[in-house]
Amino acid sequence: MLRKKAFVKRTRKGNVIKVVSEHYLRDDITCSSQVCTACTHIKAPVLADLPRQNQYLVPDTNVFMNQLDLMEHNAIKDVVILETVRDELKHLSLPVYNRLNTVLADSTKRFYLFANEHHRDTYIEKLHGESPNDRNDRAIRVSAKWYKDHLKQHGLNVLLLSDDRANREKAAAMGLKPASVRDFVQSFTDVPELGDIVAHAKETTAKKEEIVYEEHLSTSQIQHGIKKGTLFQSSLQVSTHNIHEATVSGPVDGETRTIYVLGRKHMNRSIHGDIVALELLPVSEWKRSVSIAMEENADEENGEVHADVDDDHTQDGPGEPTAKVVGIVRKKWRPYCGAIARKSVHSKPGSTAKETVIFRTMDKRIPPVRIRTTQAHTLVGKRIVVAVDSWPTDSMLPLGHFVKVLGSSGDRETETEVLLLEHDVPYQEFSKGVLSDLPPEGDDWIVTDRHVYDEKRMDLRDRDVCSIDPPGCTDIDDALHVRELENGNFEVGVHIADVTYFVKPGQAMDDEAAGRGTTVYLVDKRIDMLPSLLGTNLCSLRSNVDRLAFSCLWEMTDAGDIVDVKFIKSIIRSKHSFTYEEAQNRMDDARMQDPVTKSVRRLNKYAKRFRAERMARGALTLASPEVRFQLENDSQDPVDVEMKELKETNALVEEFMLLANIAVAEKIYKHFKNSAMLRRHPSPPASNFEQLRAVLQEYNLDLDVQSSKTLAASLDTAVVDGDPYFNTLVRIMTTRCMMQAQYFCSGTESEAEFRHYGLASPIYTHFTSPIRRYSDVIVHRLLHAAIDPEVVYGQELTDKTKMKDLCDVLNHRHRMAQMAGRSSVELYTNLFFKNKVETEPGRVIRVLKNGFVVLVPKFGIEGIVYTNSDDALTFDEATNQLTAANGVAIKIFCHVKVQITVQGDEDGMRQKMKMELVEPFVEGISIKSDATGKRALTDASSSPSGVQKKSKA
């Protein structure tokens, strides 16, 4: 059946045209119920013949918008998803829409998508004067009525689920059975947690002594204020040291500066990561005191919200600019992992009465959340997930609801799942749809002659190719070779796994890889971007097997001058897979004169030249305190921790990867001026270095930050006699002054902004790791299109907007992967120090008003030493140091000795590393250490056996 609708509209040029839309209605769309005999089921019916309570559910749109966590629960099955509802969700919230599609794809849930908008008996026209929302509500009722009438002969009922009272009343008038979500879940007496998952309704919680937050401005008021310049927009970043202090970036007197938001009152119900609208405060209210470190406490849980900040130790001058939040442009709320605060549970043990408890998030930058639950005593001591529903003006804390239990607090697998969830890392198993895109031959897939002749690949299997990677690396992206040419020059090759041969645009596997963005490396495991068949086998450039590659081939002189470069699809056969240490040993052993070892030596010779040239251009050599763990074979418990050691062969590989990335960046930009995916590293503002420069002046050292070249020269001279670690420490602190490197689309920035500051390169991209980075997959496609005019490609390589959006996703995934890796190191560091007491020398890297941050070089860890004792240490704003009565001064770079332990709070919420001062001695602050300073507590797991685990960086 065909329905037509015609209307006229005026174009931008003023022409009037007639538009005819056609809407096809069908009578062969089935109900998909297993009991139905009236419908002709082409596919197996989805809905069960004996559903719970003998009824199917038909939820309206708002149920999915507000109660999606509930609908995703395994107890909710046999649900009819109307096309009307799904279409509304697509326009209202893309994340909710995508989650609903995931549920629809899960056959165990028995959710059926009913195309009511194309069914002859359920499609309805919009009535005159009827709003789109009212029309859609009526369409939902009509479809529910159709299902009820269609299945009544089989004794099945239909329940219309809606929290809209008016919608329920109209449904009842039509003879339907409606119910609110809360009433519906009360029937699940065998699944008591469903009542906790129901999203929190707004409610008044104000007490007389509580602060009442200001109302947020409307969207139109915010837009008007931003346009006038009275307001500005930024992302709220809460401090990790002080949860009542946040920063944003905004304009102050025509200059973009860091602006502080102080106190919960001024944060005004915004949460870390929210995009907020702010108003700059008068100069009289600017920040004039140094930041303080706050130990985690339950003040907020008791209703004591910090509205203001301590302004002792004020400094002269205007101070740092401050602002207050006046509205939230975009909430970045997500499900949060954490635990229930034990002391917020007031009911008697065993009680199942619903009570309000406090949920504390693992991310201390997120405020505690009030939830109502009947499972309080069961959930104490568990890691759980909670979603925030609202934050009314009269509630000190946000209101939320329980989602699910992850496991017991302290369990390593549970804690690992927590850190993956907290950092938004997709870690689910690859779906059947993704796995179906893999070669059907599986492990038996091999390179054949057709790859040479049909695909115009260069056969490089006779070259002495080798790879150099960390120990245990199985996802080998890159390999190298060098050979002498007849003219006396040398052919140097960088060979990269040809992932795009297996991963094609439009595949489910490609979409999955784009969503994951990157492989995530944890201490004990790896969360792959691609299925292991590709990542660790068919794409991995393992030795002694034929593999497809994308190669960069240079012709170089004996001295290392580049004569030419070309890019080709190739076939290689690696002769050896080295670890960094193995390659170093082969290179250093003069007795080794085989072709592969001699190649490594020549590659190293070239790498040293390229590195020297980069340094001369102003490339920076920075540092970070990276650690590695030795893990027990069976238990995977950490038995030793040490700083990572870099060898000459690390630099060898790095130089050739940089060389290839720069060459490819130039090539793809030449062919795709507006849509090349590149990587930039912005120059840091001079203000980022102010504190570090001031401290170095005490050592008669200057940090010239006019350019990367002057900074590099300054770092080379930042040495102190008798203190070999001083220069490394300066480089570590300089690294923290840098901006974050980012992917970007070439058409969105001027060429002057392409520069990679740290590498001193005018253009850069990522090409060399397509197994573990999706950015490199895109760059491979761009490069292939650039070198082969016969390659067919679509808008995914030419659409500037789509490329920019993809860059934004990849920047987020890359950042989250870094943070997840650091959290994994923190988790295993805490496991290592559990039941131990270690006393080690450290260096002060930051001074706060009530404490100082210490870096322990041996372990590469840092922590805060709190100085909360009254009058023990006095903070001097002018010199940025803490001074004791006995003359001891704590300032940046000074030597200290600290005692390291790990403690859990009384709720078992999280284990926290604790550092206490041992030396120098300060009365009321310092403690007496164990005489040996080593493992004073019993540690059953400190077996000397263990295997080193190290993932590829």
Side-chain angles (χ1 to χ4, degrees):
M1 180 178 175
L2 177 64
R3 302 177 69 94
K4 291 186 177 181
K5 181 183 292 185
F7 59 94
V8 295
K9 74 173 185 177
R10 188 181 297 277
T11 66
R12 289 183 178 179
K13 294 182 178 180
N15 299 325
V16 176
I17 60 174
K18 182 179 181 181
V19 179
V20 179
S21 65
E22 296 181 342
H23 192 89
Y24 290 89
L25 300 179
R26 298 164 50 185
D27 56 10
D28 60 345
I29 298 173
T30 72
C31 66
S32 200
S33 171
Q34 293 178 13
V35 302
C36 180
T37 55
C39 294
T40 303
H41 300 289
I42 299 174
K43 294 182 178 180
V46 173
L47 304 172
D49 55 350
L50 293 173
R52 187 185 179 99
Q53 297 178 350
N54 210 37
Q55 64 185 9
Y56 297 141
L57 302 181
V58 180
D60 69 5
T61 306
N62 285 329
V63 169
F64 286 102
M65 281 297 299
N66 302 320
Q67 309 287 354
L68 186 54
D69 291 323
L70 173 73
M71 301 306 293
E72 289 175 327
H73 193 279
N74 287 333
I76 308 298
K77 298 181 186 295
D78 297 304
V79 178
V80 178
I81 308 298
L82 299 179
E83 182 184 10
T84 303
V85 171
R86 186 167 174 261
D87 288 348
E88 274 198 291
L89 290 174
K90 186 175 183 179
H91 293 97
L92 290 171
S93 173
L94 201 55
V96 172
Y97 172 78
N98 290 332
R99 284 173 65 185
L100 176 61
N101 286 338
T102 301
V103 176
L104 280 166
D106 183 357
S107 59
T108 64
K109 287 284 288 174
R110 302 199 295 270
F111 276 43
Y112 173 60
L113 179 62
F114 179 63
N116 66 299
E117 295 290 355
H118 290 83
H119 193 290
R120 186 175 61 183
D121 296 332
T122 57
Y123 172 77
I124 62 169
E125 293 277 6
K126 179 175 171 291
L127 301 178
H128 180 70
E130 188 177 38
S131 70
N133 186 62
D134 288 342
R135 182 266 172 200
N136 289 338
D137 284 346
R138 185 163 59 88
I140 293 169
R141 295 192 298 272
V142 167
S143 298
K145 181 72 163 55
W146 180 86
Y147 256 94
K148 176 179 179 293
D149 295 341
H150 184 71
L151 297 172
K152 65 182 178 181
Q153 62 179 320
H154 301 290
L156 289 177
N157 206 344
V158 172
L159 179 69
L160 178 66
L161 209 55
S162 176
D163 280 332
D164 183 338
R165 181 181 297 176
N167 197 21
R168 294 199 302 270
E169 290 174 350
K170 291 175 182 177
M174 294 172 63
L176 290 169
K177 178 183 176 184
S180 68
V181 172
R182 193 167 294 278
D183 289 342
F184 166 66
V185 300
Q186 286 178 354
S187 64
F188 285 75
T189 54
D190 56 328
V191 193
E193 69 265 24
L194 285 187
D196 294 349
I197 300 176
V198 176
H200 215 301
K202 289 188 177 181
E203 56 185 69
T204 300
T205 59
K207 301 176 185 177
K208 289 182 179 179
E209 67 272 24
E210 287 182 339
I211 299 167
V212 177
Y213 295 105
E214 291 182 4
E215 289 281 0
H216 290 149
L217 298 182
S218 66
T219 301
S220 60
Q221 288 174 312
I222 290 172
Q223 291 173 346
H224 181 66
I226 291 174
K227 190 174 182 180
K228 284 181 59 180
T230 56
L231 304 178
F232 65 96
Q233 177 179 311
S234 185
S235 173
L236 187 84
Q237 301 297 310
V238 178
S239 168
T240 55
H241 295 315
N242 183 349
I243 59 174
H244 300 298
E245 180 177 290
T247 56
V248 294
S249 180
V252 180
D253 297 330
E255 179 186 2
T256 300
R257 293 184 58 180
T258 296
I259 301 171
Y260 288 85
V261 182
L262 305 176
R264 284 271 182 238
K265 185 175 182 180
H266 283 161
M267 292 184 196
N268 195 8
R269 297 172 288 138
S270 57
I271 292 177
H272 172 75
D274 283 351
I275 307 299
V276 295
L278 303 107
E279 178 184 337
L280 195 66
L281 294 175
V283 175
S284 60
E285 297 182 43
W286 283 13
K287 182 176 184 287
R288 290 182 174 80
S289 63
V290 72
S291 297
I292 65 171
M294 289 190 64
E295 293 189 81
E296 294 174 49
N297 54 58
D299 286 351
E300 290 187 306
E301 296 162 15
N302 299 323
E304 300 172 15
V305 171
H306 297 260
D308 302 300
V309 293
D310 181 16
D311 237 12
D312 293 341
H313 307 291
T314 56
Q315 60 188 10
D316 296 331
E320 298 288 340
T322 58
K324 68 175 182 179
V325 173
V326 296
I328 300 179
V329 178
R330 186 163 70 251
K331 295 174 181 175
K332 292 298 185 74
W333 299 357
R334 57 176 174 80
Y336 298 103
C337 302
I340 289 177
R342 191 184 304 273
K343 56 188 175 183
S344 72
V345 179
H346 301 297
S347 62
K348 293 180 180 180
S351 171
T352 57
K354 180 161 282 195
E355 63 177 310
T356 299
V357 296
I358 299 297
F359 167 81
R360 293 171 57 195
T361 60
M362 296 297 293
D363 187 345
K364 57 188 177 184
R365 297 170 300 180
I366 307 300
V369 181
R370 282 196 177 103
I371 66 171
R372 288 183 60 77
T373 178
T374 59
Q375 311 173 79
H377 292 281
T378 303
L379 297 179
V380 167
K382 303 286 188 183
R383 290 280 184 261
I384 67 172
V385 177
V386 161
V388 175
D389 299 322
S390 63
W391 196 342
T393 56
D394 54 5
S395 175
M396 282 298 176
L397 301 176
L399 310 178
H401 67 270
F402 164 82
V403 176
K404 63 180 178 179
V405 175
L406 296 175
S408 298
S409 171
D411 175 73
R412 184 172 56 242
E413 288 299 318
T414 299
E415 300 295 356
T416 298
E417 185 177 6
V418 166
L419 72 87
L420 291 172
L421 285 168
E422 280 294 285
H423 295 104
D424 193 24
V425 175
Y427 64 96
Q428 68 277 5
E429 295 293 327
F430 290 103
S431 69
K432 290 181 180 179
V434 171
L435 298 178
S436 67
D437 289 332
L438 294 170
E441 302 91 339
D443 291 322
D444 296 327
W445 180 92
I446 58 172
V447 174
T448 64
D449 289 342
R450 72 176 180 84
H451 293 109
V452 179
Y453 303 113
D454 295 351
E455 300 175 15
K456 298 182 293 186
R457 290 180 182 271
M458 181 178 285
D459 192 340
L460 302 176
R461 284 174 284 190
D462 62 326
R463 310 302 203 265
D464 291 320
V465 175
C466 67
S467 61
I468 307 175
D469 291 281
C473 179
T474 56
D475 52 342
I476 303 174
D477 289 285
D478 53 83
L480 303 160
H481 92 270
V482 61
R483 69 160 185 161
E484 189 170 2
L485 301 173
E486 292 181 357
N487 63 2
N489 288 341
F490 289 83
E491 176 189 82
V492 177
V494 168
H495 312 282
I496 307 301
D498 189 4
V499 171
T500 54
Y501 173 83
F502 299 97
V503 182
K504 304 294 186 183
Q507 288 182 334
M509 184 159 56
D510 185 56
D511 293 339
E512 181 71 17
R516 296 190 178 213
T518 180
T519 292
V520 181
Y521 292 93
L522 308 180
V523 170
D524 63 329
K525 67 172 65 175
R526 186 181 66 220
I527 312 298
D528 289 322
M529 182 184 81
L530 295 172
S532 59
L533 176 64
L534 296 186
T536 62
N537 188 355
L538 304 187
C539 289
S540 184
L541 305 183
R542 302 185 302 177
S543 56
N544 301 315
V545 289
D546 294 346
R547 287 291 178 255
L548 304 181
F550 210 152
S551 300
C552 299
L553 296 180
W554 291 270
E555 182 180 344
M556 298 183 186
T557 65
D558 180 63
D561 296 321
I562 295 176
V563 177
D564 188 27
V565 60
K566 62 180 179 180
F567 310 96
I568 54 162
K569 291 278 185 144
S570 63
I571 301 174
I572 66 168
R573 186 179 182 88
S574 174
K575 301 298 188 292
H576 205 291
S577 298
F578 291 112
T579 65
Y580 290 123
E581 187 171 5
E582 288 171 347
Q584 189 70 50
N585 293 340
R586 291 276 287 263
M587 198 166 59
D588 294 341
D589 189 345
R591 297 170 298 177
M592 302 293 291
Q593 295 298 325
D594 60 281
V596 174
T597 303
K598 291 168 73 173
S599 294
V600 172
R601 291 193 184 108
R602 175 159 290 277
L603 290 169
N604 192 48
K605 170 189 170 182
Y606 286 151
K608 287 181 177 179
R609 170 180 170 169
F610 299 150
R611 184 174 180 81
E613 290 174 347
R614 279 200 309 112
M615 296 300 111
R617 291 195 299 268
L620 299 174
T621 302
L622 301 175
S624 61
E626 295 187 74
V627 300
R628 65 181 179 188
F629 292 88
Q630 286 188 1
L631 304 181
E632 191 80 49
N633 278 325
D634 298 325
S635 68
Q636 294 292 286
D637 288 330
V639 295
D640 201 4
V641 57
E642 59 187 1
M643 290 290 288
K644 288 184 180 178
E645 178 187 358
L646 299 181
K647 298 183 180 297
E648 204 172 65
T649 44
N650 290 77
L652 183 161
V653 175
E654 179 186 17
E655 289 306 319
F656 280 101
M657 297 307 106
L658 294 176
L659 192 68
N661 286 336
I662 292 170
V664 170
E666 293 170 345
K667 184 70 174 179
I668 63 174
Y669 178 56
K670 180 179 178 180
H671 287 262
F672 294 92
K673 287 288 185 182
N674 288 317
S675 60
M677 181 178 285
L678 303 175
R679 188 163 175 83
R680 62 190 288 262
H681 183 208
S683 302
S687 58
N688 285 17
F689 298 93
E690 286 177 356
Q691 187 180 70
L692 180 57
R693 293 185 69 191
V695 175
L696 287 173
Q697 285 175 359
E698 297 181 25
Y699 294 84
N700 295 319
L701 297 171
D702 181 38
L703 209 60
D704 189 339
V705 297
Q706 291 185 21
S707 67
S708 63
K709 187 176 179 67
T710 60
L711 177 58
S714 298
L715 290 172
D716 289 341
T717 60
V719 294
V720 171
D721 292 339
D723 189 352
Y725 191 68
F726 183 86
N727 185 260
T728 301
L729 197 58
V730 173
R731 292 181 190 273
I732 289 173
M733 296 180 69
T734 301
T735 302
R736 299 178 183 189
C737 299
M738 293 291 130
M739 305 294 283
Q740 188 79 17
Q742 292 185 323
Y743 298 109
F744 72 101
C745 174
S746 58
T748 62
E749 301 283 350
S750 65
E751 284 194 19
E753 300 299 320
F754 287 12
R755 183 173 177 79
H756 195 293
Y757 179 83
L759 298 175
S761 177
I763 192 169
Y764 191 68
T765 194
H766 274 163
F767 163 76
T768 54
S769 295
I771 292 177
R772 59 191 181 94
R773 288 190 307 234
Y774 190 74
S775 56
D776 303 52
V777 173
I778 294 297
V779 170
H780 275 231
R781 290 173 182 162
L782 289 165
L783 181 61
H784 193 200
I787 65 172
D788 188 349
E790 296 181 6
V791 170
V792 178
Y793 54 89
Q795 286 190 334
E796 73 277 0
L797 299 186
T798 58
D799 190 313
K800 180 170 69 174
T801 301
K802 289 183 178 179
M803 190 66 77
K804 178 187 179 300
D805 292 343
L806 179 57
C807 287
D808 292 341
V809 171
L810 297 182
N811 286 328
H812 170 72
R813 290 297 184 206
H814 183 72
R815 178 67 176 156
M816 290 299 102
Q818 286 182 321
M819 294 174 68
R822 291 169 190 165
S823 293
S824 181
V825 169
E826 181 182 357
L827 169 63
Y828 274 78
T829 301
N830 289 343
L831 290 172
F832 173 75
F833 283 107
K834 186 179 180 180
N835 299 327
K836 294 184 179 74
V837 176
E838 300 271 349
T839 301
E840 293 292 339
R843 304 295 290 269
V844 176
I845 59 172
R846 186 179 180 189
V847 176
L848 304 162
K849 188 162 61 177
N850 63 331
F852 51 94
V853 181
V854 175
L855 171 67
V856 179
K858 178 179 178 179
F859 300 122
I861 58 174
E862 59 186 75
I864 300 177
V865 176
Y866 291 97
T867 59
N868 293 328
S869 177
D870 293 338
D871 303 324
L873 286 167
T874 304
F875 180 75
D876 186 336
E877 182 82 30
T879 60
N880 191 34
Q881 67 180 29
L882 295 161
T883 308
N886 62 357
V888 170
I890 304 293
K891 56 185 179 180
I892 294 177
F893 294 136
C894 78
H895 295 260
V896 294
K897 187 173 284 187
V898 293
Q899 180 173 286
I900 308 167
T901 56
V902 168
Q903 62 178 18
D905 66 18
E906 61 186 21
D907 291 327
M909 169 60 186
R910 64 165 70 85
Q911 291 182 326
K912 295 177 291 186
M913 181 179 296
K914 183 178 182 181
M915 284 190 184
E916 296 176 282
L917 183 64
V918 176
E919 295 177 4
F921 182 78
V922 177
E923 187 69 40
I925 299 294
S926 299
I927 62 168
K928 291 184 179 180
S929 174
D930 169 68
T932 63
K934 296 290 180 183
R935 306 182 186 186
L937 303 181
T938 302
D939 176 28
S941 68
S942 56
S943 164
S945 65
V947 60
Q948 177 180 310
K949 301 274 184 177
K950 182 180 178 186
S951 61
K952 187 171 182 179

